[in-house]
Amino acid sequence: MEGPLAWRAKTDDTVAVPALLIETSGDHQGRSHELEPGATVTIGRSPENSIVLQNAIASRRHARIWDENGTFMVEDLGTKNGTLRNGKALTSPERLEDGDEVAVPGLTLRFQTMDATVTITIGSAGPSATKTFLFADLRGFTAYTEQHGDAAASEMVTEYRRIVRAEIARTRGTEVKTEGDSFFVVFDSARQAVECALGIQRAATDHTAQRPELPVRVGIGLHAGEPIVERGDYLGLAVNIASRLASNAQAGEVLISDVIRGLVPPTAMPPATLREGLTLKGIDDPPRVYAIAAPTPAAPSSPPAA
């Protein structure tokens, strides 16, 4: 069954269906798409797809989910920016299991099997309109390109995007926009955003240690507030502050506002150092800014002498 897919959504109700794809991020969070036996679902920017993406970096035909003799499968359709299943990039068709998450640019879907009865909540994607915004940028990219050439720089960006998108999927963020070496991501939870930022820095550090000839050095900024949502994009002061924080973040650094520090439980927040003297361009009344870093794993202790 190609073409637009019938979907059903209810508020605080239960729906018994054969199988569902549930949007867990994006503009229609909570919307469900019913999967019938023999169904084929295509995902992409083209209006001919079953699920149409509004994200500019998505391909016209980005991913496909289909029923193969009673087993639902998922595959990426050879796209540049990829499709993730449970945070890992798809390189070949894979079987979907109950609870799996499929992430494409701007949208995450959860696969729910026919044996489950689910509660789907529609509304403003949470108890309030407050969102947390993450901006990430590569550091030293222009200098690296001039020194090593376009091919090496392209490979660096590919690795950087792989790292960032894996962490976005793991922490259930939504990729709003990607331009060059910059990411704009939105979260329903400040704690999720902090986990994503620290995960990106840990993964980038590990990658750079393993491949020093292809370093991934990232600066990240986080802020939260109530945005204006317009045609799938987020606008407003909270977004601008997060972007300015990212611009000020050094390689390997995560800068957060005092708003983020207040929203995240102390047990989930690593030590924060006040960063004074920062200028946030265009922000007349900037928040207090803190730098946080992923905890450094303790070095293994030496074995006792024989």
Side-chain angles (χ1 to χ4, degrees):
M1 181 182 67
E2 294 270 2
L5 187 67
W7 61 273
R8 185 190 313 179
K10 294 187 178 181
T11 304
D12 294 331
D13 204 350
T14 57
V15 185
V17 294
L20 289 174
L21 289 173
I22 303 172
E23 300 188 24
T24 59
S25 70
D27 293 338
H28 304 289
Q29 185 175 23
R31 184 168 70 173
S32 65
H33 304 267
E34 187 172 329
L35 295 173
E36 300 176 357
T40 295
V41 180
T42 57
I43 306 169
R45 284 191 298 109
S46 171
E48 290 80 20
N49 288 288
S50 311
I51 299 175
V52 179
L53 302 174
Q54 302 299 326
N55 197 294
I57 67 170
S59 297
R60 289 183 61 80
R61 283 175 58 86
H62 199 98
R64 180 171 74 112
I65 295 172
W66 74 101
D67 178 16
E68 186 173 287
N69 300 320
T71 298
F72 281 98
M73 308 289 292
V74 60
E75 69 173 344
D76 180 76
L77 297 177
T79 64
K80 180 179 179 181
N81 291 307
T83 301
L84 303 178
R85 172 176 170 258
N86 298 332
K88 295 183 179 179
L90 291 171
T91 58
S92 61
E94 293 186 8
R95 176 178 176 173
L96 282 171
E97 303 285 352
D98 182 39
D100 279 356
E101 290 199 338
V102 176
V104 295
L107 178 65
T108 303
L109 298 159
R110 186 175 76 247
F111 176 72
Q112 191 83 44
T113 62
M114 60 185 296
D115 295 327
T117 300
V118 298
T119 299
I120 303 167
T121 303
I122 289 293
S124 62
S128 74
T130 300
K131 298 286 185 180
T132 300
F133 303 101
L134 180 154
F135 282 83
D137 299 291
L138 269 178
R139 293 291 176 262
F141 177 68
T142 300
Y144 183 89
T145 302
E146 292 176 350
Q147 184 175 356
H148 298 278
D150 291 338
S154 177
E155 187 177 0
M156 174 198 283
V157 170
T158 297
E159 288 300 305
Y160 162 64
R161 289 178 175 174
R162 177 188 62 78
I163 288 169
V164 174
R165 288 189 173 127
E167 290 302 316
I168 292 172
R170 182 182 67 83
T171 53
R172 300 188 177 186
T174 298
E175 182 179 334
V176 179
K177 192 179 300 181
T178 302
E179 294 180 358
D181 63 337
S182 298
F183 272 89
F184 174 22
V185 188
V186 63
F187 295 84
D188 293 328
S189 158
R191 182 171 182 167
Q192 290 173 320
V194 168
E195 289 178 359
C196 182
L198 297 178
I200 289 170
Q201 296 295 19
R202 277 191 294 262
T205 298
D206 291 345
H207 166 85
T208 301
Q210 294 171 14
R211 298 195 62 183
E213 80 285 0
L214 203 69
V216 174
R217 301 187 177 97
V218 190
I220 298 175
L222 299 175
H223 185 58
E226 296 186 0
I228 298 170
V229 182
E230 187 175 293
R231 295 182 180 181
D233 201 0
Y234 293 87
L235 309 171
L237 180 61
V239 176
N240 293 341
I241 289 175
S243 176
R244 296 292 184 257
L245 290 176
S247 298
N248 279 274
Q250 300 173 6
E253 187 175 50
V254 178
L255 292 184
I256 65 170
S257 65
D258 52 2
V259 176
I260 297 293
R261 194 166 182 239
L263 289 172
V264 177
T267 55
M269 177 67 74
T273 303
L274 182 64
R275 283 284 304 273
E276 297 182 296
L278 292 182
T279 300
L280 304 186
K281 183 178 178 182
I283 308 300
D284 294 332
D285 186 19
R288 290 169 69 87
V289 178
Y290 297 84
I292 59 174
T296 304
S301 58
S302 302

